[in-house]
Amino acid sequence: MQNNRTYNAYFLIPPEVQLLDIAGPIHLFYEANEYGAQFKTHYLSLNPGTEEISSAGIALGSLEPFWNFTLGPNDLLFIPGLESHLFFAEDFKSKNQRFFSWLKEQHQNKGKICSVYTGAYLMAFAGLFEGKSCTTHWKYFRDFKTRFPLAKLLSDRLIVKDGNLYSSAGVSSGIDLALFLLEEIYGPVFATKIAKEVVIYLRRTENDPQLSVFLQYRNHMDNRIHQVQDTLAQNLDKKLKIEELAENSYMSPRNLTRVFKKTTGITIGDYLAKLRVERAQQLLSNGTKVNAVSLACGLQSSNQLRSLLKKHTESLPSQLRE
C-alpha cells in the first residue's frame, strides 16, 4: 500500500440507529488502520447531545455535533439506517433541515457521502439523489419512489455509485460498501486483505458495478492460491515463471496449475491476462503512453499490448485512451 494520505471517516449516529449498519463499516475501517491505512474516525450526532440509543437499546456515546465539521475530497461520511417511524413522521424533514442543508454543502465540497439501508432517505430528503442513481432496501422501493420521484432508484443492486454519492441496499451491505471504498482508495489487493482478515466474501449481485478482476476470483479460502494471486498482481511488470510461483507456494508446478484452476475456475495464464488488461485500461485512461503501459504490464512491445486488448476488449489503446 503506497497511499500515505490521511482520511477522515465520519459516522452519523441518528436516534434508533440500526447497529449493524454502522458497526460493520466502523470495524472495517478499524481493520484497515491495523493494516496501515490512515483513517481518523468521528462519530456525529443528528441532534444536540452526546448520546443516542440504538434500535436494539444499546447506548452510543461520545458523539459530536455534525455542524462542527466540514468534509473535503479526502473525507467520507456514512449515514446508516434508522427506524422507519422516524423518517415517516410528517415533521422529520422540517425538524432536521439544518442537517440536510449541511449535508448538501458537504456533497458540494466533494466529500464521499454514503448511505446504508434506509440512510438513503436522509440523503434523499437533502435533495442529493435528484437526477442521481441510488438504491435502498427492497421493502421501501415503492414508498421511496413516491416520495422522491426525481431519484433514479435502481432495484436488485447491492451498491450504487453516482459521482461522490454511494448507496447500499440492506443492513449488512454497509460492510460491502466499506470494502468497495477501501478498494477505491487503496486498491483491490488491500481490500482483499481486509476481507480475508474478517473472513467475509466480497459479495455482489450480477448487476452491480464491475468488480476488479483481482477481486472476482478471490472468493475462496485457499491461502496458497491467495498468495499466488497477490504475487501476480503486485508484479505485473515482471515475467514470473510457474516454477518460481510453485516454489513460493510449496507446490509443484503441475499441482499449482491444477489447484489454481480448481479453486478459481480460471487458469493462471488467463488470470494473468485479465490482470494485465485491467491494468492497461487504468493506465491508458489516465493518459499513460502506450510503450509505458506495455512495460508496466510485463509485455515486450506495444504490439503485444494491442493484441491483448483486441482479444479481450475488442478495443485498441487509442480507443481506451478516449
Side-chain angles (χ1 to χ4, degrees):
M1 186 184 68
Q2 298 178 346
N3 186 346
N4 294 319
R5 185 176 296 166
T6 298
Y7 296 84
N8 287 299
Y10 298 93
F11 298 92
L12 181 71
I13 311 295
E16 298 186 49
V17 62
Q18 298 282 341
L19 276 178
L20 187 56
D21 284 14
I22 205 71
I26 287 172
H27 188 75
L28 265 292
F29 286 104
Y30 163 79
E31 293 291 354
N33 281 343
E34 291 292 297
Y35 273 80
Q38 297 185 50
F39 287 104
K40 186 176 181 181
T41 54
H42 309 267
Y43 305 105
L44 312 184
S45 58
L46 184 59
N47 302 313
T50 60
E51 183 178 288
E52 287 290 359
I53 306 298
S54 75
S55 60
I58 296 176
L60 301 170
S62 300
L63 309 182
E64 303 175 82
F66 66 83
W67 57 79
N68 284 351
F69 299 92
T70 301
L71 276 66
N74 293 335
D75 303 325
L76 36 89
L77 168 67
F78 270 78
I79 302 177
L82 61 164
E83 290 296 292
S84 60
H85 72 88
L86 293 171
F87 56 79
F88 282 165
E90 292 185 4
D91 62 346
F92 182 79
K93 184 175 182 180
S94 59
K95 282 175 59 177
N96 295 286
Q97 193 55 56
R98 183 180 183 182
F99 172 73
F100 298 136
S101 297
W102 176 86
L103 194 59
K104 207 164 188 175
E105 290 176 7
Q106 311 321 308
H107 174 235
Q108 293 169 351
N109 292 339
K110 306 300 182 183
K112 298 178 188 290
I113 315 294
C114 316
S115 69
V116 182
Y117 190 45
T118 56
Y121 275 81
L122 276 69
M123 292 175 68
F125 275 125
L128 300 189
F129 286 144
E130 292 182 3
K132 303 291 186 179
S133 297
C134 61
T135 194
T136 188
H137 193 276
W138 59 267
K139 189 166 63 175
Y140 296 96
F141 280 171
R142 182 176 297 179
D143 178 78
F144 196 93
K145 286 180 179 178
T146 301
R147 290 173 184 264
F148 311 109
L150 297 181
K152 298 178 181 178
L153 185 64
L154 303 180
S155 60
D156 298 322
R157 299 291 294 273
L158 191 64
I159 294 170
V160 173
K161 175 186 176 183
D162 194 327
N164 58 324
L165 300 177
Y166 301 74
S167 52
S168 56
V171 175
S172 64
S173 65
I175 294 172
D176 300 278
L177 179 54
L179 284 171
F180 188 89
L181 287 160
L182 288 173
E183 182 195 346
E184 277 197 339
I185 297 170
Y186 292 109
V189 174
F190 184 82
T192 301
K193 287 180 180 178
I194 304 305
K196 285 173 60 181
E197 177 66 31
V198 295
V199 197
I200 57 175
Y201 288 114
L202 292 139
R203 300 168 297 152
R204 300 292 188 275
T205 65
E206 61 181 4
N207 294 319
D208 279 316
Q210 181 65 41
L211 275 177
S212 162
V213 169
F214 186 88
L215 295 180
Q216 282 181 323
Y217 301 96
R218 298 297 296 235
N219 286 352
H220 61 81
M221 302 300 290
D222 192 321
N223 285 330
R224 298 172 302 172
I225 302 305
H226 280 308
Q227 183 178 346
V228 172
Q229 290 174 298
D230 289 345
T231 301
L232 290 171
Q234 294 168 2
N235 295 278
L236 278 180
D237 59 332
K238 300 181 178 70
K239 195 146 186 161
L240 299 174
K241 295 181 178 180
I242 185 68
E243 291 81 8
E244 187 178 350
L245 293 170
E247 182 179 354
N248 291 338
S249 56
Y250 303 101
M251 288 189 279
S252 68
R254 182 178 179 182
N255 192 41
L256 171 59
T257 301
R258 181 185 63 81
V259 174
F260 191 99
K261 174 69 182 295
K262 181 180 179 181
T263 303
T264 65
I266 189 173
T267 67
I268 295 176
D270 287 342
Y271 181 71
L272 182 57
K274 287 179 178 292
L275 287 174
R276 284 172 169 163
V277 168
E278 181 173 290
R279 181 62 175 152
Q281 289 175 315
Q282 292 172 342
L283 292 173
L284 288 167
S285 66
N286 290 332
T288 307
K289 293 182 178 180
V290 174
N291 287 338
V293 173
S294 302
L295 293 174
C297 294
L299 302 173
Q300 295 179 350
S301 67
S302 56
N303 286 335
Q304 275 194 337
L305 176 63
R306 291 187 181 93
S307 298
L308 182 71
L309 293 175
K310 192 67 176 175
K311 178 181 178 181
H312 290 272
T313 69
E314 298 185 353
S315 300
L316 294 173
S318 58
Q319 295 170 302
L320 293 171
R321 190 188 298 277
E322 293 171 3

